[in-house]
Amino acid sequence: MTDERHDDNVGLDRRTFMRRSAFGAAGVAMLAGGGMGAIATALESGSAWAAQGAKAKDLGTLDFQLSWVKNVEFAGEYIADTKGYYKKEGFSGVNLISGGPTVNQDSAVQAGKAFVGISAPDITASAINAGADLVIIGAQYQKNPFAVMSLAKSPIKTPQDMKGKKIGVQATNEAVWQSFLKANNIDPSSINKTVVQFDPTPLTTGQVDGWFSFVTNEPNVLKVKGFKTHTFLLADYKYPLVSETYMVKRSALTSERDKLKALLRADIKGWHDNYKNPSLGATLSVKKYGKSLGNTVKEQLLESKSENKLIFTPDTLANGLFTISDALIAENISTLGIAGIDITAAKLFDMSVLEEVYSENPALKTSPKAP
């Protein structure tokens, strides 16, 4: 299976797409207009985190391969960098490497071009089965963001409701689409699937009845344009793959374990901050890290709030960010099997580093209250 994304650079240029989005919310507009100065107070609030503990040993520069372009999807990393969490953990600097449709993040880590990468279980499992020395040590998204979106006035509420409907599916998402139908015992011929690009306008004009999307993305793009939508998550219907997973070389579990723990501690703090203030990550993505994308704080804030719901779940609120329960790991292995990817849990996942992080730093286990 491939890196099934909603491509900012293929088909519709998302930079053009976002510029067509509506603007609103006076508070958000103030942030957007204020630039980096508008978030200075929020950044100063991170000084308590950054001031904790003695100075860590020098771990060198952290080369961090992202799975996509620098939108708000990586808010926690932007905050950890901007507030100095990585440096406090011992990194002399951090290199957040942009991903995209032509970037294979697992190959980058395997080749030593990056220490860690954000990936997905199907991608990493396939790489491991092909001989890569990789392993997943945690997951940001506890629920997969793939969803089927429809207009609220004519909602498609369940997978079975798609039968007889015309559903727009991007070519790059075909593997996920087919696996999802198989998991739900749906005959592909019972659905009128049409290959589409990434601009969901055809849904608003009635050309299709449903749209394959990221729940964090297209629904929010249409929301700022005044369209009410309904979505159901694939994760709620027999496709429970985690997403935005931390992927590293398995050899690092022993040779660079301290570096792995330092990375995870910094990211936990960054995502905690975004949970408390989702506008912080949105503004950093628009004004600093992803400035060239031409996104708006208005839409990125909606995405930031949406992704927080996938990250901060009852399990992670109880057990700590990025943890994956044994039950969820088992569900992932089963789902991969349906997709034709046979792998064991022990070969794909190792949660021992994260377990040590929380054992040694119990305060990090407690997530902040949502705003």
Side-chain angles (χ1 to χ4, degrees):
M1 300 173 74
T2 57
D3 186 358
E4 311 91 351
R5 287 306 192 91
H6 297 277
D7 190 351
D8 292 12
N9 301 304
V10 176
L12 171 76
D13 183 335
R14 184 177 290 181
R15 285 174 287 183
T16 301
F17 193 6
M18 294 304 183
R19 280 197 291 270
R20 292 205 298 265
S21 299
F23 292 85
V28 174
M30 180 176 68
L31 270 176
M36 295 307 298
I39 59 173
T41 300
L43 294 179
E44 289 173 1
S45 69
S47 59
W49 274 124
Q52 290 181 4
K55 181 175 177 59
K57 64 180 181 180
D58 185 6
L59 297 174
T61 298
L62 172 61
D63 292 316
F64 197 138
Q65 177 65 61
L66 307 179
S67 58
W68 204 238
V69 296
K70 293 179 179 179
N71 60 14
V72 76
E73 190 170 330
F74 311 104
E77 286 72 39
Y78 304 152
I79 295 170
D81 182 29
T82 300
K83 289 191 174 183
Y85 296 157
Y86 291 123
K87 287 190 176 180
K88 188 60 184 179
E89 290 294 343
F91 294 104
S92 56
V94 59
N95 179 24
L96 297 176
I97 307 168
S98 183
T102 62
V103 176
N104 186 315
Q105 59 269 37
D106 292 68
S107 294
V109 173
Q110 178 63 27
K113 296 178 180 178
F115 176 67
V116 62
I118 297 297
S119 190
D122 52 340
I123 301 172
T124 302
S126 295
I128 292 171
N129 284 344
D133 171 44
L134 300 173
V135 67
I136 291 172
I137 62 171
Q140 292 177 359
Y141 288 7
Q142 297 293 298
K143 300 190 74 171
N144 197 284
F146 274 112
V148 172
M149 174 178 66
S150 53
L151 293 180
K153 63 183 180 181
S154 51
I156 297 175
K157 297 182 178 181
T158 71
Q160 298 300 322
D161 291 344
M162 295 190 298
K163 293 180 179 179
K165 303 290 186 180
K166 191 172 186 179
I167 309 297
V169 180
Q170 302 78 16
T172 54
N173 294 328
E174 181 64 23
V176 173
W177 171 253
Q178 291 296 334
S179 296
F180 176 61
L181 295 184
K182 186 175 181 180
N184 285 273
N185 297 312
I186 296 176
D187 183 351
S189 66
S190 68
I191 298 172
N192 183 5
K193 186 202 75 176
T194 182
V195 178
V196 296
Q197 296 299 320
F198 297 92
D199 179 355
T201 298
L203 178 66
T204 68
T205 57
Q207 297 177 56
V208 295
D209 303 304
W211 197 266
F212 206 56
S213 67
F214 260 25
V215 72
T216 56
N217 188 351
E218 287 89 340
N220 289 319
V221 169
L222 291 186
K223 184 175 182 178
V224 297
K225 298 174 79 172
F227 293 98
K228 295 181 179 180
T229 62
H230 176 86
T231 59
F232 71 78
L233 285 169
L234 274 60
D236 292 331
Y237 292 93
K238 303 180 181 179
Y239 198 84
L241 289 186
V242 293
S243 190
E244 301 299 277
T245 46
Y246 289 92
M247 166 269 305
V248 300
K249 280 190 175 182
R250 181 172 285 275
S251 57
L253 295 177
T254 53
S255 64
E256 297 181 280
R257 199 171 184 86
D258 287 346
K259 191 172 179 179
L260 290 176
K261 289 194 284 187
L263 155 72
L264 291 171
R265 287 192 297 266
D267 270 25
I268 290 167
K269 295 171 186 176
W271 281 108
H272 277 176
D273 288 351
N274 196 63
Y275 189 52
K276 291 185 292 186
N277 182 9
S279 66
L280 180 55
T283 305
L284 285 172
S285 70
V286 172
K287 297 294 182 181
K288 183 178 180 182
Y289 294 90
K291 188 175 182 179
S292 65
L293 298 177
N295 292 331
T296 68
V297 174
K298 168 72 174 180
E299 194 276 333
Q300 292 285 279
L301 176 58
L302 291 175
E303 288 199 27
S304 185
K305 291 179 177 179
S306 294
E307 68 183 348
N308 277 345
K309 295 177 182 178
L310 303 178
I311 296 169
F312 293 86
T313 65
D315 277 348
T316 58
L317 289 173
N319 303 318
L321 286 190
F322 315 149
T323 56
I324 313 173
S325 69
D326 290 342
L328 186 52
I329 286 177
E331 290 177 354
N332 273 252
I333 297 301
S334 177
T335 302
L336 290 173
I338 293 173
I341 304 173
D342 295 320
I343 194 168
T344 64
K347 195 172 182 180
L348 181 58
F349 296 98
D350 188 307
M351 305 305 295
S352 64
V353 178
L354 200 51
E355 289 171 1
E356 288 181 19
V357 166
Y358 286 122
S359 175
E360 296 164 358
N361 307 270
L364 288 179
K365 194 172 184 178
T366 302
S367 294
K369 293 183 178 180

Coordinates of all heavy atoms in Angstrom, one line a residue, residues 166-200:
K166 N -22.7 7.3 -5.8 CA -21.5 7.7 -6.5 C -20.5 8.3 -5.5 O -20.8 9.4 -5.0 CB -21.9 8.7 -7.6 CG -20.7 8.9 -8.6 CD -21.2 9.7 -9.8 CE -20.1 9.9 -10.9 NZ -20.6 10.7 -12.0
I167 N -19.4 7.6 -5.4 CA -18.4 8.1 -4.4 C -17.1 8.5 -5.1 O -16.6 7.7 -5.9 CB -18.1 6.9 -3.4 CG1 -19.3 6.4 -2.8 CG2 -17.1 7.5 -2.3 CD1 -20.1 7.3 -2.0
G168 N -16.6 9.7 -4.8 CA -15.4 10.1 -5.4 C -14.2 9.6 -4.6 O -14.1 9.9 -3.4
V169 N -13.3 8.9 -5.3 CA -12.1 8.3 -4.6 C -10.8 8.7 -5.4 O -10.8 8.5 -6.6 CB -12.2 6.8 -4.5 CG1 -11.0 6.2 -3.8 CG2 -13.5 6.4 -3.7
Q170 N -9.8 9.2 -4.7 CA -8.6 9.6 -5.4 C -7.8 8.3 -5.8 O -7.8 7.3 -5.0 CB -7.8 10.5 -4.5 CG -8.5 11.8 -4.0 CD -9.5 11.5 -2.9 OE1 -9.5 10.5 -2.3 NE2 -10.4 12.5 -2.7
A171 N -7.1 8.4 -6.9 CA -6.3 7.2 -7.3 C -5.3 6.8 -6.3 O -5.1 5.6 -6.1 CB -5.7 7.5 -8.6
T172 N -4.7 7.7 -5.6 CA -3.7 7.4 -4.6 C -4.2 6.7 -3.4 O -3.5 6.1 -2.6 CB -2.9 8.6 -4.2 OG1 -3.8 9.6 -3.7 CG2 -2.1 9.2 -5.3
N173 N -5.6 6.7 -3.2 CA -6.2 6.1 -2.1 C -6.9 4.8 -2.4 O -7.7 4.3 -1.6 CB -7.3 7.1 -1.5 CG -6.6 8.3 -0.9 OD1 -5.5 8.3 -0.4 ND2 -7.3 9.5 -0.9
E174 N -6.7 4.3 -3.6 CA -7.4 3.1 -4.1 C -7.1 1.9 -3.2 O -8.0 1.1 -2.9 CB -6.9 2.8 -5.5 CG -7.6 1.6 -6.1 CD -9.1 1.8 -6.3 OE1 -9.6 2.9 -6.3 OE2 -9.8 0.7 -6.4
A175 N -5.9 1.7 -2.7 CA -5.6 0.6 -1.9 C -6.3 0.6 -0.6 O -6.9 -0.4 -0.1 CB -4.1 0.5 -1.6
V176 N -6.4 1.7 0.1 CA -7.2 1.9 1.3 C -8.6 1.6 1.0 O -9.3 0.9 1.8 CB -7.0 3.3 1.9 CG1 -7.9 3.4 3.1 CG2 -5.5 3.4 2.4
W177 N -9.1 2.2 0.0 CA -10.5 2.1 -0.4 C -10.9 0.6 -0.6 O -11.9 0.1 0.0 CB -10.8 2.8 -1.7 CG -12.2 2.6 -2.3 CD1 -12.4 1.9 -3.5 CD2 -13.4 3.1 -1.9 NE1 -13.8 1.9 -3.7 CE2 -14.4 2.6 -2.8 CE3 -13.8 3.9 -0.8 CZ2 -15.8 2.9 -2.6 CZ3 -15.2 4.2 -0.6 CH2 -16.1 3.7 -1.5
Q178 N -10.1 -0.2 -1.3 CA -10.4 -1.6 -1.6 C -10.3 -2.4 -0.3 O -11.1 -3.3 0.0 CB -9.4 -2.1 -2.6 CG -9.6 -1.6 -4.0 CD -11.0 -1.9 -4.6 OE1 -11.6 -2.9 -4.3 NE2 -11.5 -1.1 -5.5
S179 N -9.3 -2.1 0.6 CA -9.2 -2.8 1.8 C -10.4 -2.5 2.7 O -10.9 -3.4 3.4 CB -7.9 -2.4 2.5 OG -6.8 -2.8 1.8
F180 N -10.9 -1.3 2.7 CA -12.0 -0.9 3.5 C -13.3 -1.7 3.1 O -14.0 -2.2 3.9 CB -12.2 0.6 3.5 CG -13.4 1.1 4.2 CD1 -13.6 0.9 5.6 CD2 -14.4 1.7 3.5 CE1 -14.7 1.4 6.3 CE2 -15.6 2.2 4.2 CZ -15.7 2.0 5.6
L181 N -13.5 -1.7 1.8 CA -14.7 -2.4 1.3 C -14.6 -3.9 1.6 O -15.6 -4.5 2.0 CB -14.8 -2.3 -0.2 CG -15.0 -0.9 -0.8 CD1 -15.2 -0.9 -2.3 CD2 -16.2 -0.2 -0.1
K182 N -13.4 -4.5 1.5 CA -13.2 -5.9 1.8 C -13.5 -6.1 3.3 O -14.1 -7.1 3.7 CB -11.8 -6.3 1.5 CG -11.5 -7.8 1.6 CD -10.1 -8.2 1.2 CE -9.9 -9.7 1.3 NZ -8.5 -10.1 0.8
A183 N -13.0 -5.3 4.2 CA -13.2 -5.4 5.6 C -14.7 -5.4 6.0 O -15.1 -6.0 7.0 CB -12.5 -4.3 6.4
N184 N -15.5 -4.6 5.2 CA -16.9 -4.5 5.5 C -17.8 -5.4 4.6 O -19.0 -5.2 4.5 CB -17.3 -3.0 5.3 CG -16.9 -2.2 6.5 OD1 -17.5 -2.1 7.5 ND2 -15.7 -1.6 6.4
N185 N -17.1 -6.3 3.9 CA -17.9 -7.3 3.0 C -18.8 -6.6 2.0 O -19.9 -7.0 1.8 CB -18.7 -8.3 3.8 CG -17.8 -9.1 4.7 OD1 -16.8 -9.7 4.3 ND2 -18.1 -9.2 6.0
I186 N -18.3 -5.5 1.4 CA -19.0 -4.8 0.4 C -18.5 -5.1 -1.0 O -17.3 -4.9 -1.2 CB -19.0 -3.2 0.7 CG1 -19.6 -2.9 2.0 CG2 -19.6 -2.4 -0.4 CD1 -19.5 -1.4 2.4
D187 N -19.4 -5.5 -1.9 CA -19.0 -5.7 -3.3 C -18.7 -4.4 -3.9 O -19.5 -3.5 -4.0 CB -20.1 -6.4 -4.0 CG -19.8 -6.8 -5.4 OD1 -18.8 -6.4 -5.9 OD2 -20.6 -7.5 -6.0
P188 N -17.5 -4.2 -4.4 CA -17.1 -2.9 -5.1 C -18.1 -2.6 -6.2 O -18.3 -1.4 -6.5 CB -15.7 -3.2 -5.7 CG -15.1 -4.3 -4.8 CD -16.3 -5.1 -4.4
S189 N -18.6 -3.6 -6.9 CA -19.6 -3.3 -8.0 C -20.9 -2.7 -7.5 O -21.6 -2.2 -8.3 CB -19.8 -4.5 -8.8 OG -20.5 -5.5 -8.1
S190 N -21.1 -2.7 -6.2 CA -22.4 -2.2 -5.7 C -22.3 -0.7 -5.5 O -23.3 0.0 -5.2 CB -22.8 -2.8 -4.4 OG -21.8 -2.5 -3.3
I191 N -21.1 -0.1 -5.7 CA -20.9 1.3 -5.5 C -20.4 1.9 -6.8 O -19.5 1.3 -7.5 CB -19.8 1.6 -4.4 CG1 -20.4 1.0 -3.1 CG2 -19.5 3.1 -4.3 CD1 -19.3 1.1 -2.0
N192 N -20.9 3.1 -7.2 CA -20.4 3.7 -8.4 C -19.2 4.6 -8.0 O -19.4 5.8 -7.7 CB -21.6 4.6 -9.0 CG -21.2 5.2 -10.3 OD1 -20.1 5.0 -10.8 ND2 -22.1 6.0 -10.8
K193 N -18.1 4.0 -8.0 CA -16.9 4.7 -7.7 C -16.4 5.5 -8.9 O -16.3 5.0 -10.0 CB -15.8 3.8 -7.2 CG -14.5 4.5 -6.7 CD -13.3 3.6 -6.8 CE -12.8 3.4 -8.2 NZ -11.6 2.6 -8.3
T194 N -16.0 6.8 -8.7 CA -15.4 7.6 -9.7 C -14.1 8.2 -9.2 O -14.0 8.6 -8.1 CB -16.4 8.8 -10.1 OG1 -15.8 9.5 -11.2 CG2 -16.7 9.7 -8.9
V195 N -13.1 8.1 -10.1 CA -11.8 8.6 -9.7 C -11.8 10.2 -9.8 O -12.2 10.8 -10.8 CB -10.7 8.1 -10.7 CG1 -9.3 8.7 -10.4 CG2 -10.7 6.6 -10.6
V196 N -11.3 10.8 -8.7 CA -11.4 12.2 -8.6 C -10.0 12.7 -8.2 O -9.1 12.0 -7.8 CB -12.4 12.7 -7.6 CG1 -13.8 12.3 -8.1 CG2 -12.1 12.1 -6.2
Q197 N -9.8 14.1 -8.2 CA -8.6 14.7 -7.6 C -8.9 15.0 -6.2 O -9.6 14.3 -5.5 CB -8.3 15.9 -8.5 CG -7.9 15.6 -9.9 CD -6.7 14.7 -10.1 OE1 -5.7 14.8 -9.3 NE2 -6.8 13.8 -11.0
F198 N -8.4 16.1 -5.7 CA -8.5 16.4 -4.3 C -9.4 17.6 -3.9 O -9.7 17.8 -2.8 CB -7.1 16.6 -3.7 CG -6.2 15.4 -3.8 CD1 -5.4 15.2 -4.9 CD2 -6.3 14.4 -2.8 CE1 -4.6 14.1 -5.0 CE2 -5.5 13.3 -3.0 CZ -4.7 13.1 -4.1
D199 N -9.8 18.3 -4.9 CA -10.8 19.4 -4.7 C -12.2 18.8 -4.5 O -12.7 18.3 -5.5 CB -10.7 20.4 -5.9 CG -11.7 21.5 -5.7 OD1 -12.5 21.6 -4.8 OD2 -11.6 22.4 -6.6
P200 N -12.8 19.0 -3.3 CA -14.1 18.3 -3.1 C -15.3 19.1 -3.7 O -16.5 18.8 -3.4 CB -14.2 18.3 -1.6 CG -13.4 19.5 -1.1 CD -12.3 19.6 -2.1

